[in-house]
Amino acid sequence: MSLSLYFLRHGETTHSQTGGFCGFLDPELTASGQQMAQAFANTYKQQPWEAIFCSPMKRTIATAKPLCNALGIEPQLRDGLKEINYGKWEGSTQAEVCKQYAEEYMRWQREPAWNPPTAGETTIQIASRASLVIAEIEEKYTDGNVLVVSHKATIRIILCNLLGIDLGRYRDRIDMPVATVSVVKFDTNGPMLQRLGDRNHLPQQLRDREGT
């Protein structure tokens, strides 16, 4: 037996539709986002689960809820799974940030590992806090399936950290649309990526919703 971590990005929100900077902002899921969460639960509720870990944001809790209800499992909320803190950029569009914080934005684009959004978090900081949650899971669960419900940047950074990919290139190497599932299996040779950005659990009309 071995441990498999299932990383699920939350369902659609209004901010994921528009592409505005939304990290510590706490929007609800859209109606389509709720359908995405239910579709995930419908597909995966027959699979055995050891635990469900979840970012404490509304959009992630709502995404985990249908599966938690089906299984009778309470989600274990961890701040380390929150999305990147965009600082003063929260709620702004890319065009607005480019205009108001041009120098900081260019530094963040070139090397986000060490350059944060204005008054926000670096990739290194996100990797540090998220890795504590992954270490906790590995210590508690040596085999079986554990679900981790988190966010776009955070999941990509976790995957880069686990797979030895330059943290500063997380946006360039890994795509992560809403409600996608990625699976990493832990065995004697370390973490192995088995699935990336899977949306097969979603009905076709939800898979076709881009800009997410």
Side-chain angles (χ1 to χ4, degrees):
M1 294 290 291
S2 58
L3 172 66
S4 291
L5 295 188
Y6 285 69
F7 294 94
L8 173 63
R9 185 188 169 196
H10 63 78
E12 181 187 87
T13 70
T14 53
H15 285 273
S16 68
Q17 285 182 303
T18 63
F21 287 100
C22 175
F24 274 30
L25 292 180
D26 205 9
E28 305 277 0
L29 295 181
T30 63
S32 292
Q34 294 170 3
Q35 292 171 21
M36 291 172 178
Q38 188 61 57
F40 176 83
N42 293 343
T43 300
Y44 284 93
K45 64 185 178 182
Q46 301 303 325
Q47 182 166 299
W49 296 97
E50 299 298 318
I52 297 174
F53 284 73
C54 186
S55 159
M57 309 302 284
K58 291 177 184 177
R59 56 195 183 274
T60 41
I61 292 174
T63 300
K65 185 177 180 180
L67 183 62
C68 288
N69 289 346
L71 300 177
I73 294 178
E74 286 294 322
Q76 301 186 50
L77 305 183
R78 296 293 184 272
D79 285 344
L81 298 175
K82 284 183 176 180
E83 181 60 302
I84 177 176
N85 181 355
Y86 285 110
K88 294 183 178 180
W89 301 359
E90 293 278 354
S92 299
T93 65
Q94 182 177 338
E96 289 168 340
V97 168
C98 285
K99 182 178 180 180
Q100 190 170 356
Y101 302 101
E103 186 175 338
E104 293 101 320
Y105 180 75
M106 290 303 297
R107 285 201 299 264
W108 182 71
Q109 282 288 324
R110 287 194 299 267
E111 185 45 85
W114 300 102
N115 295 294
T118 309
E121 284 184 296
T122 65
T123 303
I124 296 296
Q125 290 172 313
I126 298 161
S128 178
R129 61 173 166 80
S131 66
L132 296 177
V133 182
I134 302 304
E136 177 189 354
I137 294 171
E138 288 187 81
E139 183 177 352
K140 286 183 176 179
Y141 308 98
T142 57
D143 55 53
N145 303 313
V146 173
L147 179 64
V148 177
V149 187
S150 188
H151 306 266
K152 184 177 185 178
T154 303
I155 293 176
R156 290 190 290 179
I157 290 165
I158 291 172
L159 292 179
C160 285
N161 205 23
L162 290 174
L163 301 173
I165 299 170
D166 182 352
L167 292 177
R169 303 274 68 80
Y170 76 92
R171 293 193 302 261
D172 305 326
R173 300 292 180 263
I174 297 176
D175 193 16
M176 193 65 55
V178 291
T180 54
V181 181
S182 300
V183 183
V184 175
K185 180 180 179 181
F186 293 78
D187 58 23
T188 55
N189 295 316
M192 173 183 286
L193 182 64
Q194 293 192 311
R195 207 182 312 168
L196 179 65
D198 183 8
R199 303 185 95 189
N200 287 327
H201 54 281
L202 298 179
Q204 189 62 53
Q205 70 270 22
L206 293 179
R207 287 188 224 169
D208 290 342
R209 291 182 69 82
E210 297 300 334
T212 56

